[in-house]
Amino acid sequence: MKQSSAKILLVFVFAARGTSFLFSKNLLATMSPSSVLAVRFLLSFLILSLIFFRRMLKVDKAALLGGVKLGALYTLCMLCEMYGLKTIDTGVSSLVENMAIIFVPIFAAAIARTLPKAKTIFCALLALCGVALLSLTQIKKESGGFGMFLIVAAAVTYAFCILATEKYSKDCDPVAVGIIQLGTMGLLSLLFSLAVQSFALPPGRSEWFWLLLLVLLCSCFGFTFQPVGQKYVSAESAAVLTAVNPLTAAIMGFVAAGEEISLKKLAGCAIILAALLLYNIKAPQETRQIRSIASPRERAVKCDSYSKTEPAP
């Protein structure tokens, strides 16, 4: 596959993931957040297990444990996202959650007991200013302030999910780990839903339609083809393309859901988007350093150290 074709594929992948916020928002009108997650990820697990059944037959203990641990962490992230999405706009939710890309190097530096780069700190502060502006547009909604808190919590948890993904999929089949992760998310969401007595299947045809779009377009298509595209595109290029995710969510929220557009909201979205793009634009010396590495595998690892691009399922 040519690099240009891979970039086009990734644009469609990230756009598909961006639609998940609107589809989920529509389902939340008649279903609980945990019910949506349970049905979505259990169906995704079954479909992908059938597609990749040969790989699943070869799953080892490391891949199984890694997938279960990642699934537990991602379940917490997705529950925060879905409960926050109930009260705030789809575009706002997607933008704020994508701040995880900036949080990753900060948390990684804290774990390593080192200081993050000055540009990383600046971009994080810039993004937080954008969140503050967006919060002003959401607090007028019922429980909007709490919804913003949950989405920020989802972004923080998402950052830890990215770090954990690097750890648990390093020496395992990433496809098998991802499928087990989806199954774990579906099972834990089902148990949570049953515990709070909120589990329910989609009540009508329209709800099943939105749910199947979530399963096939956002989970199965996005999960299967993102690794294909990133095989031919550098990590920093893929990171810049992730901006398609929140842009798609914002446009669909405005066009399909009739979400309000105000100057404060536009300014907040622009500031966060600028922070994400600025963070992912590499200095010439960084690019030369990446290209100077001999082996393709080392080059990929080095690129990954500069930018993490593991969108939520």
Side-chain angles (χ1 to χ4, degrees), residues 20 33 41 59 65 88 99 111 178 196 235 272 302:
S20 67
F41 289 121
V59 171
L65 291 177
I88 66 175
M99 284 171 47
I111 293 171
V196 297
I272 294 178
K302 191 66 176 180

Side-chain angles (χ1 to χ4, degrees), residues 48-301:
L48 290 172
S49 294
L50 291 174
I51 295 174
F52 297 103
F53 74 95
R54 293 181 185 273
R55 290 194 179 194
M56 297 306 293
L57 292 175
K58 300 177 183 178
V59 171
D60 56 16
K61 183 179 179 180
L64 180 61
L65 291 177
V68 170
K69 290 177 181 178
L70 283 174
L73 194 54
Y74 266 108
T75 300
L76 178 60
C77 173
M78 293 300 294
L79 284 172
C80 288
E81 175 194 304
M82 292 292 284
Y83 278 98
L85 188 59
K86 286 190 69 173
T87 60
I88 66 175
D89 295 341
T90 57
V92 172
S93 301
S94 181
L95 267 173
V96 174
E97 191 167 338
N98 272 270
M99 284 171 47
I101 296 173
I102 300 176
F103 289 155
V104 166
I106 295 177
F107 295 158
I111 293 171
R113 297 182 181 179
T114 60
L115 290 176
K117 294 180 180 179
K119 187 177 82 169
T120 301
I121 297 175
F122 173 76
C123 290
L125 293 175
L126 187 63
L128 289 175
C129 290
V131 171
L133 269 177
L134 291 178
S135 297
L136 294 177
T137 69
Q138 302 299 304
I139 56 176
K140 61 183 179 181
K141 301 176 181 290
E142 184 179 357
S143 302
F146 184 61
M148 283 295 296
F149 169 79
L150 288 176
I151 291 297
V152 172
V156 173
T157 312
Y158 182 20
F160 283 110
C161 289
I162 295 172
L163 291 171
T165 299
E166 181 184 29
K167 175 181 178 182
Y168 293 119
S169 63
K170 185 176 181 180
D171 299 318
C172 305
D173 180 359
V175 174
V177 171
I179 294 174
I180 294 169
Q181 170 191 311
L182 291 176
T184 303
M185 293 169 69
L187 179 60
L188 291 179
S189 298
L190 176 62
L191 293 175
F192 179 85
S193 185
L194 292 174
V196 297
Q197 297 181 341
S198 65
F199 180 75
L201 292 172
R205 291 182 179 180
S206 61
E207 287 82 5
W208 274 111
F209 173 74
W210 295 120
L211 187 61
L212 288 176
L213 283 178
L214 266 177
V215 171
L216 299 175
L217 185 62
C218 305
S219 294
C220 294
F221 171 73
F223 172 83
T224 304
F225 287 97
Q226 183 183 341
V228 175
Q230 286 199 231
K231 182 178 180 180
Y232 303 95
V233 176
S234 65
E236 68 265 26
S237 295
V240 174
L241 292 176
T242 58
V244 174
N245 184 312
L247 283 176
T248 302
I251 292 171
M252 291 193 68
F254 173 69
V255 174
E259 294 177 351
E260 179 186 1
I261 295 292
S262 64
L263 287 177
K264 287 181 181 178
K265 187 175 181 180
L266 286 174
C269 290
I271 290 173
I272 294 178
L273 192 58
L276 294 175
L277 292 175
L278 177 61
Y279 171 72
N280 286 309
I281 294 175
K282 304 305 168 190
Q285 62 268 25
E286 289 179 337
T287 304
R288 287 195 296 270
Q289 185 179 3
I290 292 170
R291 290 175 178 172
S292 67
I293 300 172
S295 76
R297 179 175 178 79
E298 288 176 333
R299 188 178 305 154
V301 171

